[in-house]
Amino acid sequence: MRHERIQQQRDLIRASQWDRLRAVLDTILITNPFHRKRIGHLSFDSLEEFTERCPLMTKRMIVADRESHPPYGTNQSYPIENYTRFCHTSGTTGPPLTWLDSRDDWNSMLAAWQLIYDHADLEPGEDRLFFPFSFGPFLGFWTAFEAASRLGCMVIPGGGMSSHARLQLMLDHKVSVIATTPTYALHLAEVRDAAPSFADQPFHLRLIIVAGEPGGSQPELRRRLEHAWPGARIFDHHGLTETGPLSFQAPGPSPRLQVLEDIHFAEILDPATGQEVLEGGEGELVVTTLQRLGCPMLRYRTGDLVRKVYADDSGALCLDGGIIGRYDDMVCVRGVNVYPSAVDALLRQFPEIGEYQVREVRNGALLDLHLIVEIKPGLRVPDLPDRISTALRDALQIRMPVQCVTPGTLPRFEFKARRWIKESPAS
């Protein structure tokens, strides 16, 4: 019974997506040199034909196009004077890529953010949103900031400030919402707890909107954030510079992200076969943008590892557990595939750990992982390395030497955390 109902709902969603995609194709196959060269010779009469015939896009293809046609490449649907916004990717998984947006494309992303804020129960006129980082040229920060302002919330930028100064600002201006990475939200709590001036001070934080790293839907990390900021609710979402906002935290007892399907056509494909996985299966998230026409992405491989489920009430596509990991982050350790997100989820189960770092050491063809963990101040846990090693071996089938270091030894991160370091054997 559920299967039939979900199928009917999915048919309606896909019919609407095909109408939107057909309008996109009608435009870009005339005006966009990149896609006209790729698929201009193909015809599509349905969403099924589109998925069968349209080849996948990769970041490597975009990089090659930019190198051949600097600085913006040929994936431009409009004359250059139509573009009004400039951003670029963070460079976390490759060289930074510039992204241009027209006024209409920018407004469509602001509308997507307003939907995210609506699901997060933001209160216009009441909430004060703090963005505790330097914006730089990163798209997500600017769209989130501008969308909240349009909704009628007070928005407070926090670039160029120390963590201590940001905490003081949160107190002085009664900040009720922050938008940041999970790592930096934990670091702010760490700085607060170490500073006597913040002892017993009444922070007013009620909502933490997290993104930028896998793990915002990870139960243990969410519990740690809730413990660090009592009374604050955690709300996860995710997006990419290449696509804009992609998903928001769906309601329900288990953490999951719901795809913004009016804005994106999403597929979850088995990388080995290229076929759509069944509900409950894991695969790579592949996205086609349905509104952002200035630099459209058609069947773009995001590199995100996700698990496919459907919402019981609406049939909406959801990502169970959020972003599980990234395919381009996976390492093979003596025949075992290891995702950094899986290691992170396991280490979050140890409350004694304040921060950690994994060092990749390659000896010829073999790769070894060395783990360094920073113990929280005031704790003596001589058996911690053995317990961590046992947990890693039991859960992930890997052996990893564990070294404990004193508080403050490892780096802290304002933006995306970079805990996996490649080393040579002599370093």
Side-chain angles (χ1 to χ4, degrees):
M1 187 68 178
R2 175 185 181 274
H3 174 76
E4 294 176 357
R5 176 170 49 81
I6 293 293
Q7 188 59 55
Q8 291 174 351
Q9 293 167 323
R10 293 305 304 165
D11 288 344
L12 292 173
I13 291 170
R14 288 170 68 88
S16 175
Q17 290 177 324
W18 172 238
D19 287 343
R20 293 169 183 263
L21 178 56
R22 186 167 49 191
V24 171
L25 294 172
D26 286 345
T27 297
I28 68 173
L29 292 185
I30 296 173
T31 64
N32 187 292
F34 180 83
H35 290 293
R36 190 168 63 241
K37 180 179 179 181
R38 287 184 67 236
I39 62 172
H41 60 289
L42 301 175
S43 62
F44 314 106
D45 292 323
S46 66
L47 202 56
E48 289 71 26
E49 288 188 0
F50 175 73
T51 59
E52 290 172 1
R53 299 175 183 175
C54 180
L56 297 171
M57 281 182 69
T58 65
K59 179 171 282 190
R60 185 174 299 177
M61 293 168 57
I62 301 170
V63 171
D65 179 59
R66 300 288 175 90
E67 291 174 345
S68 299
H69 303 87
Y72 307 126
T74 62
N75 188 9
Q76 308 292 329
S77 302
Y78 311 125
I80 192 66
E81 57 268 23
N82 286 44
Y83 294 88
T84 60
R85 303 303 290 251
F86 173 104
C87 292
H88 72 54
T89 60
S90 65
T92 303
T93 58
L97 291 173
T98 298
W99 230 259
L100 304 180
D101 281 291
S102 69
R103 183 175 289 105
D104 287 344
D105 290 343
W106 193 260
N107 285 334
S108 74
M109 288 189 288
L110 298 187
W113 259 108
Q114 290 171 346
L115 284 172
I116 293 171
Y117 284 142
D118 183 56
H119 286 281
D121 296 326
L122 209 66
E123 298 179 2
E126 299 290 334
D127 277 320
R128 299 179 180 185
L129 274 73
F130 183 44
F131 296 81
F133 34 64
S134 300
F135 281 30
F138 305 131
L139 178 143
F141 301 160
W142 290 105
T143 50
F145 187 89
E146 193 169 331
S149 176
R150 286 193 181 186
L151 278 176
C153 297
M154 181 186 292
V155 288
I156 304 173
M161 304 174 70
S162 68
S163 296
H164 190 282
R166 288 168 176 161
L167 286 163
Q168 189 62 55
L169 184 149
M170 290 170 63
L171 271 176
D172 293 344
H173 298 279
K174 298 182 179 179
V175 166
S176 56
V177 182
I178 61 171
T180 184
T181 64
T183 292
Y184 194 64
L186 289 172
H187 178 57
L188 280 176
E190 185 179 59
V191 174
R192 178 203 62 203
D193 294 343
S197 59
F198 294 127
D200 302 321
Q201 291 281 6
F203 284 84
H204 297 80
L205 198 60
R206 73 168 191 87
L207 178 64
I208 303 175
I209 300 174
V210 296
E213 300 169 342
S217 294
Q218 184 190 107
E220 187 57 42
L221 178 56
R222 295 173 67 85
R223 283 192 290 269
R224 184 170 287 197
L225 283 167
E226 290 166 352
H227 178 76
W229 293 100
R233 183 169 61 91
I234 314 304
F235 185 85
D236 193 18
H237 82 93
H238 103 288
L240 301 171
T241 299
E242 300 95 308
T243 62
L246 270 168
S247 67
F248 61 90
Q249 183 174 310
S254 61
R256 58 178 54 178
L257 295 173
Q258 180 171 320
V259 177
L260 290 160
E261 293 195 270
D262 286 343
I263 301 168
H264 306 287
F265 166 56
E267 306 167 71
I268 301 175
L269 305 183
D270 181 338
T273 66
Q275 299 301 307
E276 183 82 18
V277 303
L278 299 176
E279 184 174 10
E282 293 183 3
E284 181 179 7
L285 181 64
V286 173
V287 175
T288 296
T289 51
L290 300 177
Q291 289 189 6
R292 201 175 174 194
L293 270 66
C295 189
M297 309 302 286
L298 302 182
R299 305 197 75 209
Y300 179 59
R301 295 184 62 174
T302 66
D304 290 328
L305 173 64
V306 297
R307 184 181 302 111
K308 176 182 178 180
V309 293
Y310 295 123
D312 286 333
D313 57 343
S314 64
L317 176 63
C318 295
L319 315 177
D320 191 32
I323 307 303
I324 301 172
R326 289 194 54 82
Y327 280 98
D328 46 15
D329 287 341
M330 186 193 76
V331 296
C332 185
V333 183
R334 301 180 186 271
V336 178
N337 292 337
V338 179
Y339 289 96
S341 57
V343 174
D344 184 78
L346 186 144
L347 294 179
R348 296 293 183 190
Q349 299 174 21
F350 291 86
E352 303 94 335
I353 297 176
E355 189 53 84
Y356 73 90
Q357 186 179 89
V358 178
R359 296 183 178 175
E360 303 178 24
V361 180
R362 187 168 292 280
N363 295 293
L366 296 178
L367 177 68
D368 291 314
L369 303 179
H370 297 175
L371 175 63
I372 301 172
V373 297
E374 186 180 297
I375 301 174
K376 288 184 178 178
L379 296 180
R380 288 175 56 89
V381 280
D383 66 335
L384 184 60
D386 289 340
R387 288 193 285 121
I388 294 173
S389 294
T390 300
L392 288 166
R393 185 180 65 248
D394 292 347
L396 305 177
Q397 288 76 54
I398 57 173
R399 296 183 181 275
M400 193 185 305
V402 180
Q403 175 189 356
C404 291
V405 296
T406 57
T409 302
L410 298 176
R412 298 303 193 266
F413 305 92
E414 176 181 314
F415 188 37
K416 297 181 181 181
R418 300 193 179 191
R419 297 187 172 97
W420 287 60
I421 310 297
K422 289 182 171 63
E423 286 190 349
S424 64
S427 64

